[in-house]
Amino acid sequence: MGVAAGTQAGAMLNKAVLLESLIVFAVVLCVHAVAWDRFSWCAVALAVQAFYVQFKWDHLLRLGSAVFQFRTGANSGLLPACMAVPLLGIVMKERCREAGMVYFERFGIVVASTGMAIALFLSVIAVGVTKPLPTNTGVLSGLAGSVIVYTLKHSLTVSEVIEVLEVLLIFVYLSMILLYLLPRCFTPGEALLVLTGLSFVLNQLIKRSLTVIGGRGDPVDFFLLVAVVGVVLLGVFFAALFFFMDSSTWISSVFFHVMTAVLGLGVIMPWLYRLIRRNPLLWLFQFLVQTQTRVNLLAYWALLAASASAVVVYQNTKRSSGSKKHQASTVTRKYFHFIVVATYVPGLIYDRQLLHIAAVVCFAVFILLEYIRYFTIKPCGHLLRQLLSLFLDERDSGPLILSHIYLLLGMSVSVWLFPRPCAPKGTLAGAGALAPYSGVLAVGVGDSVASIFGSTVGEIKWPGTKKTFEGTMTSIFAQIIAVAIILIFDSTVDLNASYSWILVSVSLVSLLEAYTTQVDNLLLPLYLQILLMA
């Protein structure tokens, strides 16, 4: 009975993986049809070889032969993760080329090339450790790799090749450190996305720190780079420190708070000062109170944050002492999605730079609070463990609770990655005008509506998955309604009759939500942004 059930579950998972792969191929072909250059052809070749290599990674995970411990209950997710960064680089290149921004066009090429290089690196690992050596997959990976390397050789300058290799080297070192420190927190695909993003951010920060001239550059961008790198380095430092001492004692807790203040004021702040050439705290205060609109937005966001905190406390008070296994319902979880939508939409309409900075600050605060919970730092560590345990789901199988951080990232990544220099009027033409709203549409509206309606009224299940047809259809409908509302309230959005493309984009991403076993809060906004910018 157990073997039969396991075989049936494996067959369903394989069917879901095949359909997920089909959707990703459809996205790749959409981007290829728009770009139609050597890089889009390389993306097609990469997708084909990643499709085959994905099954080798799945085989390694089933046998337990992977070097690190990955999250269980999901496939490797290698194909959608491998294609996200190259496709993002390709559409960024096309948009910046149309705007005549040569520097950022070349940066888009570097992003696409680096994504392909990292994907090929993971393919070599999967093929190399699989026994016996998979001949067909090895030959296919070799052919695809040869085509990509040949194209990059004739497309990149020497400095760009060095930058690609730098990011690849940082990726390798970060993989060894973070995957060792954080077992079972990621699938290979999720680790690829997170570590690639961190590698890019760290490389850009080092590059800009070495070449900074007279405070040139947007302080908003510097703030993001320093904050992300700072909180990651802080976590690595404390993980190494508390490996040798008990983190739950008062002495360790005092040391944690003191060292956080020392590293923040003694390293991160001077680093930021070097980049923006002014006092970071004074700049931040002046930035936040620069206009009355910003003050009003901050007050409104503070009210929403208080209401979200009140929901967390209220849900925990409902949990009686005899029901320790009680978990929050799907509707309760999605309440936070709607709070985040109510947070981001006014920021996108009235002040995107303020939203950019506020998202960075919230991300840093969320990471610090997770450190306090994980290390059980007094006086709040134990309380945070108790409050957040109610909202755990199957994706929080490792030592970290990442669901709320993924939600914030999913909503913010489309704001952070929006190519502002390539949009002189503050917005892109056509469907690209909706690119900053990708997180709101895919996660805040689409994913929330699909989960609520799918779990309450859904009856017809998609083949190979627990997701329902009703949930997906209501998700598409809700996102189209959201686009119509955005058109009414945001005067900068001019779609130029791109309605059919928006419908195709929303539909593909909604189908991807139905079939993927990866963290959809992270994956869906990236793919929707890629399609809207294509």
Side-chain angles (χ1 to χ4, degrees), residues 89-104:
I90 291 172
V91 297
M92 185 184 299
K93 169 184 71 70
E94 290 299 307
R95 286 292 185 168
C96 292
R97 181 182 59 80
E98 293 172 1
M101 303 294 292
V102 177
Y103 174 82
F104 290 98

Side-chain angles (χ1 to χ4, degrees), residues 340-360:
V340 175
V341 169
T343 301
Y344 274 71
V345 170
L348 287 166
I349 294 176
Y350 295 109
D351 198 326
R352 294 183 182 180
Q353 279 201 321
L354 177 64
L355 180 63
H356 189 291
I357 288 293
V360 173

Side-chain angles (χ1 to χ4, degrees), residues 37-46 85-87 89-90 93 105-121 143-168 200:
D37 59 9
R38 65 182 73 177
F39 292 100
S40 63
W41 280 106
C42 286
V44 173
L46 181 67
V85 177
L87 292 178
I90 291 172
K93 169 184 71 70
E105 178 186 354
R106 298 303 303 179
F107 181 71
I109 292 175
V110 170
V111 170
S113 303
T114 306
M116 293 179 188
I118 292 175
L120 289 175
F121 172 75
L143 290 174
S146 299
V147 170
I148 293 171
V149 170
Y150 178 83
T151 301
L152 300 187
K153 178 179 180 295
H154 291 82
S155 303
L156 302 179
T157 64
V158 174
S159 61
E160 290 170 344
V161 170
I162 293 174
E163 186 169 357
V164 170
L165 294 177
E166 287 172 350
V167 177
L168 180 59
F200 264 113

